[in-house]
């Protein structure tokens, strides 16, 4: 069974810092990988989808990379802002969607 | 498109009562997923449908839980009888398999069983 791990579980950074969130998975036979953001009391909002044939995707200040062979993905957030504070989850897409437990990010003004 | 629509947003009920959660997936999507989220266990897949057919219900906790998808635009998750440990946020999500598998979530139903 696919297992998805996100480290760290929580992260606190001062505003303006660049940061990296990590996602690792045990089975490299995946179709895609998707990063989500979840604000407290809200649903999950899709940030980036990386196809298995791609190595990275960018959207604004966000950049996600995928290394299938090593079972890793990273989400890079440039110039962090307080509005980036949320929980970030990665989902690995094989025969179904497998979610990590998330990283809770706090950006301190 | 209005996105994935779930109702109700909040449900408070007493132990032993029947609870029905509803979901309308994004039009054109052919896969639908029901998830449960708690602080302790995170996001758990309960069941998913493809083309209205249940594909994997191994995440359904017990026989008290049942899900149906009578057509491509509607699904229900029913708990009968409900118990306090069922209290959680229940999410519905949909995707179009063959289109990059991107998953879209509804806003969730916050269920409290007293």
């Amino acid at each position: 069974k696919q297992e998805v791990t996100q480290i760290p579980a929580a992260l606190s950074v001062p505003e303006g810092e660049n940061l990296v969130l990590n996602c690792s998975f045990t089975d490299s036979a995946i179709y895609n990988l998707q990063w989500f953001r979840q604000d407290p009391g809200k649903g999950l909002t899709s940030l980036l989808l990386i196809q298995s044939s791609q190595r990275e995707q960018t959207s604004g200040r966000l950049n996600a990379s995928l290394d299938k062979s090593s079972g890793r993905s990273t989400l890079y957030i440039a110039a962090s802002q307080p509005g980036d504070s949320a929980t970030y989850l990665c989902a690995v897409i094989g025969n179904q969607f497998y979610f990590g437990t998330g990283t809770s990010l706090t950006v301190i003004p | 498109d209005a996105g994935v629509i779930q109702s109700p947003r909040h449900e408070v009920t007493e132990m032993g009562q029947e609870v029905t959660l509803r979901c309308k997936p994004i039009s054109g999507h052919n896969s639908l997923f029901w998830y449960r989220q708690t602080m302790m266990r995170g996001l758990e897949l309960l069941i998913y449908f493809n083309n209205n057919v249940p594909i994997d219900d191994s995440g359904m906790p017990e026989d008290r839980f049942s899900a149906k998808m009578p057509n491509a635009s509607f699904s229900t998750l029913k708990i009968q009888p409900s118990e306090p440990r069922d209290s959680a946020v229940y999410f519905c999500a949909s995707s179009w398999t063959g289109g990059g598998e991107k998953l879209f979530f509804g806003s969730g139903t916050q269920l409290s069983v007293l």
Side-chain angles (χ1 to χ4, degrees):
Chain A
K1 180 186 174 184
Q2 178 76 269
E3 292 186 5
V4 184
T5 304
Q6 290 187 247
I7 295 173
L11 180 64
S12 183
V13 300
E15 181 178 2
E17 268 202 12
N18 303 325
L19 59 101
V20 175
L21 307 180
N22 298 292
C23 172
S24 61
F25 47 95
T26 54
D27 186 350
S28 62
I30 67 170
Y31 293 121
N32 304 314
L33 186 143
Q34 192 169 357
W35 281 93
F36 294 87
R37 168 188 173 135
Q38 185 175 28
D39 293 285
K42 305 289 187 182
L44 279 72
T45 301
S46 179
L47 296 172
L48 290 164
L49 174 76
I50 309 176
Q51 309 271 1
S52 61
S53 58
Q54 299 173 320
R55 294 193 65 84
E56 65 179 84
Q57 277 286 335
T58 297
S59 176
R61 295 183 293 108
L62 305 179
N63 177 275
S65 68
L66 174 63
D67 184 343
K68 279 180 56 177
S69 61
S70 66
R72 293 181 182 179
S73 176
T74 61
L75 179 66
Y76 175 82
I77 302 177
S80 59
Q81 302 172 358
D84 295 331
S85 299
T87 297
Y88 291 80
L89 296 98
C90 67
V92 171
I93 304 156
N95 57 349
Q96 58 167 281
F97 290 80
Y98 298 91
F99 279 85
T101 51
T103 294
S104 176
L105 173 66
T106 301
V107 181
I108 304 167
Chain B
D1 199 311
V4 178
I5 300 173
Q6 289 188 246
S7 64
R9 288 297 310 275
H10 303 275
E11 176 80 31
V12 180
T13 190
E14 293 186 345
M15 182 175 64
Q17 296 297 306
E18 175 181 304
V19 175
T20 299
L21 311 181
R22 296 172 176 80
C23 176
K24 176 178 168 53
I26 292 174
S27 178
H29 282 187
N30 61 357
S31 291
L32 183 140
F33 304 79
W34 282 101
Y35 287 91
R36 177 171 69 176
Q37 187 177 42
T38 61
M39 288 292 291
M40 290 294 293
R41 301 171 70 92
L43 202 60
E44 302 174 277
L45 176 66
L46 300 177
I47 185 171
Y48 81 92
F49 296 84
N50 184 257
N51 293 320
N52 312 336
V53 176
I55 302 300
D56 184 352
D57 65 355
S58 59
M60 297 285 262
E62 46 197 279
D63 292 345
R64 298 184 297 107
F65 287 69
S66 62
K68 293 182 180 179
M69 191 164 187
N71 56 62
S73 59
F74 184 67
S75 177
T76 60
L77 178 67
K78 183 179 293 186
I79 308 173
Q80 180 185 22
S82 58
E83 296 182 2
R85 60 194 169 113
D86 301 330
S87 297
V89 180
Y90 290 80
F91 287 106
C92 175
S94 71
S95 71
W96 176 53
T97 54
E101 310 286 345
K102 193 171 184 179
L103 193 61
F104 295 83
F105 276 79
S107 299
T109 295
Q110 174 74 59
L111 173 65
S112 297
V113 182
L114 306 177

